[in-house]
Amino acid sequence: MNQFFTSIVLLCMLNFYHSQELVQPFLQNLSSNKVTIVWESSTCDSGTLEWGNSNLINSSAANSLQTSNSCIFSVTIQNLYPNTIYSYRTVNDSYTSKLLSFKTPDLQSNESLTRFIAMSDMQKDNSHPDVFEKLINDGVLNYFDNNYVGSLNQNLQMVLIPGDLVDNGNNHNEWIDDFFDAGKNLFSYVPIYPVLGNHENNSTYFFDYFDLPKNGSAGYKEHWWFKDQSNIRIIGMDSNWDYQIPTQLEWLDSVL
């Protein structure tokens, strides 16, 4: 009897420490020849990205960043072909993500059509907790399914988010449950480009999750940035009170 009981306890403990996917892989800083893919796991076991434009013939080891109770993984892959659909999935210990995809933009010199969505202030309202998830699935995805031929990432190039992604940027669970889980069916296929709102509280989680262009002023990495896509320049700015400073305005003047 005692031996049987010990075996049951051991199995439960082993199961408890298996990795779990907390944030489904999402796309960052996509260009015609490279992309960064980010995801989060409950443990810090080694993470791997498998990818390819027809079969998953490539494998890249992930970098990891440990939070208080999880690990955020990221992989930047380069030397991609422009205007090409790639498949990918992530692997951590005991789980593998589902098969996902992204499409690299065309060469900037070709000035191809660019279509983007801008949305903001999706922080959770407890009186209407499912609004953001419904906006993604019943709004954006449903619209593209009904009005365009081909996959989502053949018809949509980027998602712009000017602030207030979560209610409290210092609450880790809000990032996992309220933002990334609600938007996963979009963010895994189309890159997202956010800026800080006041609700982010200048949280380290924002900078841990997002890999934004590093072309802002020295010392203010990812607070402001620009992204060129086709013949469009997207400029992201931090309009929070502490960053309404001449340095940002001088930078803006230099990139306009």
Side-chain angles (χ1 to χ4, degrees):
M1 177 65 73
N2 289 340
Q3 188 176 28
F4 176 76
F5 178 78
T6 302
S7 300
I8 293 295
V9 172
L10 178 60
L11 287 172
C12 291
M13 290 175 66
L14 289 173
N15 184 64
F16 178 79
Y17 286 104
H18 280 173
S19 294
Q20 294 179 347
E21 183 181 76
L22 300 180
V23 172
Q24 182 169 294
F26 63 95
L27 304 174
Q28 287 287 278
N29 215 359
L30 176 65
S31 69
S32 60
N33 64 358
K34 70 176 182 177
V35 67
T36 297
I37 296 173
V38 183
W39 70 98
E40 186 172 6
S41 171
S42 61
T43 67
C44 293
D45 300 312
S46 59
T48 303
L49 178 74
E50 299 176 346
W51 59 279
N53 64 342
S54 55
N55 299 311
L56 301 179
I57 60 174
N58 304 291
S59 178
S60 302
N63 297 314
S64 63
L65 178 65
Q66 188 168 4
T67 71
S68 58
N69 54 6
S70 66
C71 257
I72 298 173
F73 292 88
S74 65
V75 175
T76 298
I77 49 178
Q78 305 190 59
N79 301 317
L80 302 175
Y81 295 107
N83 199 28
T84 302
I85 293 179
Y86 287 86
S87 298
Y88 72 97
R89 67 184 180 187
T90 59
V91 180
N92 280 81
D93 187 31
S94 59
Y95 79 83
T96 300
S97 75
K98 66 180 181 179
L99 191 64
L100 306 163
S101 71
F102 63 88
K103 183 175 187 255
T104 53
D106 201 353
L107 292 173
Q108 189 176 349
S109 57
N110 291 336
E111 297 193 358
S112 299
L113 171 71
T114 297
R115 186 177 290 111
F116 61 86
I117 289 175
M119 61 176 81
S120 71
D121 295 78
M122 59 278 295
Q123 70 267 38
K124 186 175 182 179
D125 177 354
N126 289 323
S127 299
H128 307 280
D130 301 325
V131 169
F132 181 44
E133 184 176 4
K134 288 180 178 178
L135 172 69
I136 296 295
N137 296 308
D138 299 338
V140 174
L141 300 182
N142 187 55
Y143 176 83
F144 277 89
D145 283 343
N146 291 330
N147 291 278
Y148 294 92
V149 176
S151 64
L152 175 67
N153 46 32
Q154 288 177 294
N155 297 294
L156 180 64
Q157 281 66 53
M158 56 174 61
V159 178
L160 310 178
I161 309 179
D164 291 354
L165 288 67
V166 293
D167 188 53
N168 177 6
N170 292 314
N171 187 327
H172 189 196
N173 289 334
E174 289 185 15
W175 288 102
I176 295 171
D177 299 328
D178 300 345
F179 181 72
F180 286 114
D181 189 60
K184 62 186 178 184
N185 293 331
L186 176 60
F187 301 158
S188 294
Y189 300 93
V190 180
I192 57 174
Y193 297 90
V195 297
L196 291 148
N198 63 303
H199 280 267
E200 274 65 69
N201 291 315
N202 206 31
S203 166
T204 57
Y205 288 120
F206 180 92
F207 301 99
D208 291 346
Y209 279 121
F210 300 113
D211 181 46
L212 299 168
K214 309 298 192 298
N215 49 25
S217 306
Y220 296 96
K221 183 180 71 173
E222 296 182 311
H223 282 276
W224 46 88
W225 48 267
F226 71 86
K227 174 75 175 178
D228 291 337
Q229 173 104 1
S230 186
N231 56 359
I232 299 170
R233 171 161 287 182
I234 306 296
I235 298 176
M237 301 184 67
D238 187 340
S239 61
N240 287 290
W241 179 257
D242 290 342
Y243 296 92
Q244 295 180 23
I245 54 177
T247 303
Q248 184 171 193
L249 295 178
E250 291 165 3
W251 171 86
L252 175 62
D253 185 60
S254 72
V255 300
L256 285 175

